[in-house]
């Protein structure tokens, strides 16, 4: 069965520091991979996506993610975190078996300290 | 850029009442979805809808839930008799063939 694991429930980083959020997936075929961000009480905003091609994908707000098939990972990175990046981050895999749907990880809450 | 819209943004209802959550997908989208997020938990798939019928549903989507697209525009989720545990944020989403799902801003449902 398809699944997404985000091993870190929450992470705290200092403003200006680098960030890496981990994501591992389980999916039999080539996955469609996504990172979404959600501010408290808000909807889901797509940060970036991977369908095929270059395994390092660039997203909005200075985020990037790298697809590593051998590790079944799709970690999100940002070189310098801003206070406004504090939010919940969801890794997700899109499946195309019997219809396309998105399976989400449990999320990682990012706290940014001054 | 076109967006998925949802109404209402918030709804409070009494247990046992029927609620209808509405979504207007992006015009060229063909597949439509509802997801649920209970407070503090992850986003869960409820149902997908294509060509005016349900293509897949999760175990959460029991007989109390129904979906329809009555006028080719609005895509609705109906909960016939709400329970306390139905309190959640409900997200509508849509996609064209083989593309990313675009999510609406959500409707926060509170069942008292």
């Amino acid at each position: 069965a398809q699944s997404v694991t985000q091993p870190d429930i929450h992470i705290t980083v200092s403003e200006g520091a680098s960030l890496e959020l981990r994501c591992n997936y389980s999916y039999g075929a080539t996955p469609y991979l996504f990172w979404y961000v959600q501010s408290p009480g808000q909807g889901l905003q797509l940060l970036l996506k991977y369908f095929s091609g270059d395994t390092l994908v660039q997203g909005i707000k200075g985020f990037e993610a790298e697809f590593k098939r051998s590790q079944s990972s799709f970690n999100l990175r940002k070189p310098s975190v801003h206070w406004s990046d504090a939010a919940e981050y969801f890794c997700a895999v899109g499946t195309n078996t019997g219809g396309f749907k998105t399976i989400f990880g449990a999320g990682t809450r990012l706290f940014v300290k001054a | 850029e076109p967006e998925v819209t949802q109404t209402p943004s918030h709804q409070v209802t009494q247990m046992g009442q029927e609620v209808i959550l509405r979504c207007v997908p992006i015009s060229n989208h063909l597949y439509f979805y509802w997801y649920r997020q209970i407070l503090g938990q992850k986003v869960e798939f409820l149902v997908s809808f294509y060509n005016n019928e349900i293509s897949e549903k999760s175990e959460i989507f029991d007989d109390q839930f129904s979906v329809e697209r009555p006028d080719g525009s609005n895509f609705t989720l109906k909960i016939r008799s709400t329970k306390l545990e139905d309190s959640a944020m409900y997200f509508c989403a849509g996609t064209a063939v083989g593309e990313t799902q675009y999510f609406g801003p959500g409707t926060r449902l509170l069942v008292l």
Side-chain angles (χ1 to χ4, degrees), chain A residues 4-16:
Chain A
V4 178
T5 301
Q6 294 180 247
D8 303 305
I9 297 173
H10 53 80
I11 282 182
T12 301
V13 299
S14 298
E15 190 169 19

Side-chain angles (χ1 to χ4, degrees), chain A residues 11-114:
Chain A
I11 282 182
T12 301
V13 299
S14 298
E15 190 169 19
S18 64
L19 169 71
E20 182 169 27
L21 302 182
R22 297 183 290 164
C23 172
N24 292 95
Y25 67 89
S26 172
Y27 184 57
T30 299
Y32 300 100
L33 295 163
F34 308 90
W35 276 97
Y36 289 89
V37 61
Q38 184 182 37
S39 297
Q42 301 300 308
L44 297 162
Q45 182 180 25
L46 179 68
L47 284 177
L48 47 78
K49 61 187 178 185
Y50 171 78
F51 282 3
S52 64
D54 192 346
T55 56
L56 183 64
V57 293
Q58 302 297 318
I60 62 172
K61 303 184 180 185
F63 286 92
E64 67 177 26
E66 186 171 13
F67 170 56
K68 293 185 177 180
R69 184 186 299 277
S70 62
Q71 299 176 18
S72 297
S73 69
F74 189 57
N75 294 348
L76 182 72
R77 300 194 292 252
K78 186 170 185 177
S80 177
V81 167
H82 187 262
W83 64 266
S84 60
D85 293 325
E88 186 95 20
Y89 291 81
F90 292 96
C91 181
V93 60
T95 73
N96 205 7
T97 52
F100 189 91
K101 68 182 180 189
T102 306
I103 296 171
F104 288 83
T108 297
R109 180 164 293 279
L110 173 65
F111 297 95
V112 180
K113 60 182 180 180

